[in-house]
């Protein structure tokens, strides 16, 4: 059986390697030719490539289950397993730039017998009598019995074979920058496995620790907050970084130096798109969708690669079970995604809408179910809730599990408690600083 995978991102590469290890012949087609000889990689069309990524426990588990040497290669390349302060033996993620992650995974795919990487643009899926027979790449047909679309959130070539995506823009915008610690310098302050997370009414500031003494800082704001859009200018980002204590501590010139320009983020989405067409049927026998092509979530808590590789792992196993019965495989995969992936999308849709509402000046609404971020914050008052909230935070329990503690959290907010505001500029003070630094340039 010959399989073509559209897209050589994390999902496409992982899927291809795992299938080839089961004896399948797999061609992965991507318009991106791969890294340059010196290891640099522009990765046009994947705007998040140089933005910070935190890799969750599920990513490590997926690698260890199907291709354990890739995990070892990542560690050799400088990635650091993330552990909890009180459980240093328990790995809960991986600190690594996306560049390193993808370079290592791509090398494994290149070395994998049964996988062929091909550079080209997939224009269309070819089919006969309702069954996939290949893809058209730059005007030429590449034959395949099965086509797996791992073309990410922006993939277009198979769009007509599915019903519309649910969701859309999540209402949050990002600006980030990469740094490297100077020789001898230690990490700055940390309050989370990924690094340092500070949440203000109106914006968030996050430090992500990566491989090889590199890290990224990130400022997230409401995308409608036009006054903060100037953060994409280097002088403004630097001034904001000096003003926000958690970022200032990491980026002070004695500790680190920038190694990238300031990177503005494109639009961030919460979307879910099923395998099925708008009549609820599998449109094409032998065409399946996986990874961001199925679900994207606001990256602020880094669930994208986890949900993508969880899907890829499941799809590969279902293909073992269903063999050439692709329609029943698609249906079972859809059912699994609806139960195990879609809840993370729905969780973010509600969380983000409520966050934007609060960022625009509204108080917590205790007359409605609380979003997950507020339930998590309430564990500061009642740490007993962590028994339920902890597994959700680690994505080991679905968002519905929070229902068990939501009434307790609501009681806490109804009593008047609100999450403490960290030291640093308010949203209005930060917006003033942005305006002050931007205006000399605009004149
Ligand atoms: C700003 C931002 C920050 C993020 N941070 C995190 C994080 O911290 N942690 C985390 O887990 N996730 C994060 N994510 C999500 C994560 O980046 C995605 O989940 C991940 O990229 C999904 O991988 P993928 O392989 O499915 O898709 P992609 O990485 O988008 O790869 C798709 C590939 O398909 C190729 N392609 C598309 N169309 C065609 C075509 N027609 N022909 C040929 N090739 C094609 C593209 O070139 C690309 O290589 C973030 C996302 C964003 C936007």
């Amino acid at each position: 059986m010959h399989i073509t995978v559209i897209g050589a991102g994390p999902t496409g590469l992982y899927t291809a390697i795992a299938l080839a290890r089961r004896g399948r012949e797999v061609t992965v087609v991507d318009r991106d030719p791969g890294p340059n000889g010196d290891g640099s990689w522009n990765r046009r069309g994947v705007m998040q490539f140089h933005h910070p990524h935190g890799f969750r426990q599920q990513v490590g588990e997926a690698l260890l289950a199907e291709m354990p040497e890739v995990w070892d290669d990542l560690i050799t390349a400088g990635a650091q397993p993330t552990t909890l302060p009180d459980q240093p033996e328990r790995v809960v993620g991986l600190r690594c730039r996306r560049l390193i992650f993808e370079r290592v995974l791509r090398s494994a795919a290149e070395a994998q017998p049964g996988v062929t990487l091909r550079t080209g643009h997939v224009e269309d899926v070819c089919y006969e009598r309702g069954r996939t027979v290949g893809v058209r790449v730059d005007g030429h047909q590449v034959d395949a019995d099965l086509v797996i679309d791992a073309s990410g959130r922006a993939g277009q070539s198979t769009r007509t074979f599915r019903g519309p995506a649910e969701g859309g823009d999540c209402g949050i915008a990002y600006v980030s920058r990469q740094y490297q610690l100077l020789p001898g310098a230690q990490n700055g302050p940390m309050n989370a496995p990924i690094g340092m997370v500070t949440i203000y009414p109106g914006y968030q500031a996050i430090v992500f620790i990566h491989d090889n003494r590199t890290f990224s800082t990130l400022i997230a704001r409401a995308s409608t907050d036009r006054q903060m859009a100037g953060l994409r200018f280097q002088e403004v980002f630097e001034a904001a970084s000096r003003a926000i204590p958690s970022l200032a501590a990491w980026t002070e010139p004695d500790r680190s130096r920038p190694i990238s320009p300031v990177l503005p983020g494109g639009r961030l989405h919460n979307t879910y798109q099923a395998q099925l067409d708008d009549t609820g049927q599998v449109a094409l026998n032998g065409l399946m969708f996986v990874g961001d092509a199925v679900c994207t979530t606001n990256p602020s808590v880094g669930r994208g690669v986890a949900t993508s590789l969880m899907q890829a792992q499941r799809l590969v196993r279902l293909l073992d079970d269903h063999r050439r019965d692709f329609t029943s495989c698609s249906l079972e995969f859809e059912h699994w995604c609806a139960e195990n992936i879609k809840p993370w999308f729905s969780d973010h849709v509600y969380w983000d809408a409520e966050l934007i509402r609060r960022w625009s000046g509204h108080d917590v609404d205790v007359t409605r179910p609380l979003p997950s971020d507020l339930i998590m914050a309430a564990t500061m008052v009642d740490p007993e809730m962590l028994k339920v909230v902890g597994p959700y935070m680690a994505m080991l329990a679905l968002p519905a599990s929070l229902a068990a503690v939501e009434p307790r959290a609501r009681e806490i907010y109804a009593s008047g408690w609100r999450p403490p505001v960290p030291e640093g500029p308010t949203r209005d003070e930060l917006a003033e600083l942005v305006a002050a630094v931007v205006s000399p340039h605009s004149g």
Side-chain angles (χ1 to χ4, degrees):
M1 187 201 308
H2 195 94
I3 302 174
T4 292
V5 174
I6 311 174
T11 310
L13 293 171
Y14 178 92
T15 306
I17 297 170
L19 287 170
R21 289 182 182 194
R22 289 163 160 77
R24 312 287 167 81
E25 284 295 314
V26 190
T27 302
V28 187
V29 187
D30 201 298
R31 54 193 170 214
D32 189 296
N36 302 317
D38 65 358
S40 62
W41 203 353
N42 285 340
R43 210 70 173 91
R44 278 192 206 93
V46 182
M47 76 80 178
Q48 70 267 37
F49 191 66
H50 292 293
H51 279 293
H53 277 62
F55 296 94
R56 285 174 168 270
Q57 177 174 341
Q58 288 74 13
V59 175
E61 286 169 355
L63 293 174
L64 289 168
E66 296 284 340
M67 48 202 82
E69 82 290 354
V70 172
W71 174 268
D72 297 339
D73 291 348
L74 283 162
I75 305 302
T76 305
Q80 294 173 21
T82 315
T83 53
L84 298 175
D86 51 339
Q87 297 172 54
E89 71 297 337
R90 193 171 142 217
V91 175
V92 294
L94 190 69
R95 294 176 181 157
C96 185
R97 279 169 292 172
R98 165 86 182 246
L99 167 74
I100 303 295
F101 184 84
E102 213 167 302
R103 233 164 44 191
V104 168
L105 195 54
R106 191 177 171 101
S107 296
E110 281 165 350
Q112 176 63 48
V115 174
T116 305
L117 293 181
R118 177 173 173 154
T119 305
H121 178 77
V122 176
E123 296 155 341
D124 250 327
V125 176
C126 310
Y127 57 96
E128 289 169 8
R129 292 186 295 280
R131 189 178 189 97
T132 309
V133 294
V135 290
R136 193 154 51 87
V137 182
D138 300 323
H140 300 283
Q141 182 167 330
V142 175
D143 293 338
D145 305 296
L146 170 64
V147 173
I148 298 178
D149 181 349
S151 64
R153 62 190 210 133
Q156 298 282 339
S157 53
T158 60
R159 183 149 294 199
T160 49
F161 294 103
R162 283 193 288 175
E166 296 174 53
D169 195 318
C170 73
I172 291 167
Y174 259 45
V175 186
S176 77
R177 193 175 199 188
Q178 290 181 0
Y179 296 80
Q180 185 156 42
L181 291 170
L182 296 176
Q186 300 296 313
N187 279 341
M190 292 172 58
N191 65 0
I194 59 156
M196 181 79 195
V197 180
T198 31
I199 304 175
Y200 298 88
Y203 71 97
Q204 291 174 345
I206 307 180
V207 178
F208 288 77
I209 303 173
H210 304 310
D211 54 279
N212 297 299
R213 297 174 56 78
T214 61
F215 66 92
S216 293
T217 63
L218 176 151
I219 304 175
R221 62 173 172 91
S223 40
T224 50
D225 189 344
R226 301 306 306 161
Q227 284 175 288
M228 299 262 260
L231 284 166
R232 68 182 185 281
F233 298 118
Q234 182 175 313
E235 293 89 330
V236 181
F237 190 80
E238 285 175 353
S241 301
R242 284 192 296 273
I244 300 169
S246 57
L247 302 191
W250 278 84
T251 58
E252 60 192 23
D254 288 348
R255 192 190 296 271
S256 62
R257 65 181 180 93
I259 54 168
S260 81
V262 173
L263 304 165
R267 292 164 76 95
L268 303 177
H269 299 158
N270 289 316
T271 55
Y272 182 81
Q273 195 168 13
Q275 305 287 316
L276 311 178
D277 66 16
D278 41 20
T279 67
Q281 309 293 316
V282 174
L284 207 51
N285 186 6
L287 174 63
M288 298 172 190
F289 309 89
V290 64
D292 266 23
V294 171
C295 181
T296 65
T297 47
N298 170 358
S300 60
V301 288
R303 290 173 174 163
V305 180
T307 53
S308 291
L309 296 198
M310 284 157 65
Q311 290 174 54
Q313 204 179 357
R314 172 57 61 151
L315 178 59
V316 164
R317 289 177 186 180
L318 287 177
L319 282 167
D320 279 345
D321 297 345
H322 290 267
R323 314 233 36 108
R324 293 188 79 98
D325 187 351
F326 300 138
T327 297
S328 69
C329 184
S330 288
L331 288 170
E332 190 172 343
F333 185 49
E334 173 51 32
H335 184 68
W336 181 85
C337 287
E339 286 198 341
N340 295 282
I341 300 296
K342 193 173 181 186
W344 298 108
F345 153 78
S346 308
D347 186 47
H348 256 300
V349 169
Y350 190 55
W351 168 348
D352 293 343
E354 285 296 300
L355 182 66
I356 299 295
R357 200 184 63 79
R358 298 200 309 278
W359 277 4
S360 64
H362 298 276
D363 191 16
V364 174
D365 184 350
V366 287
T367 66
R368 294 193 298 153
L370 291 176
S372 311
D373 61 327
L374 291 179
I375 300 175
M376 287 189 283
T379 60
M380 284 188 243
V381 178
D382 184 352
E384 269 295 296
M385 289 167 59
L386 275 170
K387 285 186 191 138
V388 171
V389 174
Y392 156 82
M393 289 168 75
M395 289 181 74
L396 300 173
L398 286 168
S401 61
L402 293 183
V405 289
E406 195 273 343
R408 171 68 186 125
R410 213 179 317 179
E411 209 175 85
I412 290 169
Y413 287 97
S415 74
W417 181 84
R418 296 293 176 267
V421 177
E423 188 197 339
T426 63
R427 180 262 158 217
D428 289 353
E429 286 163 349
L430 193 62
E432 264 173 45
L433 181 150
V434 170
V437 186
V438 165
S439 48
H441 296 282
S442 48

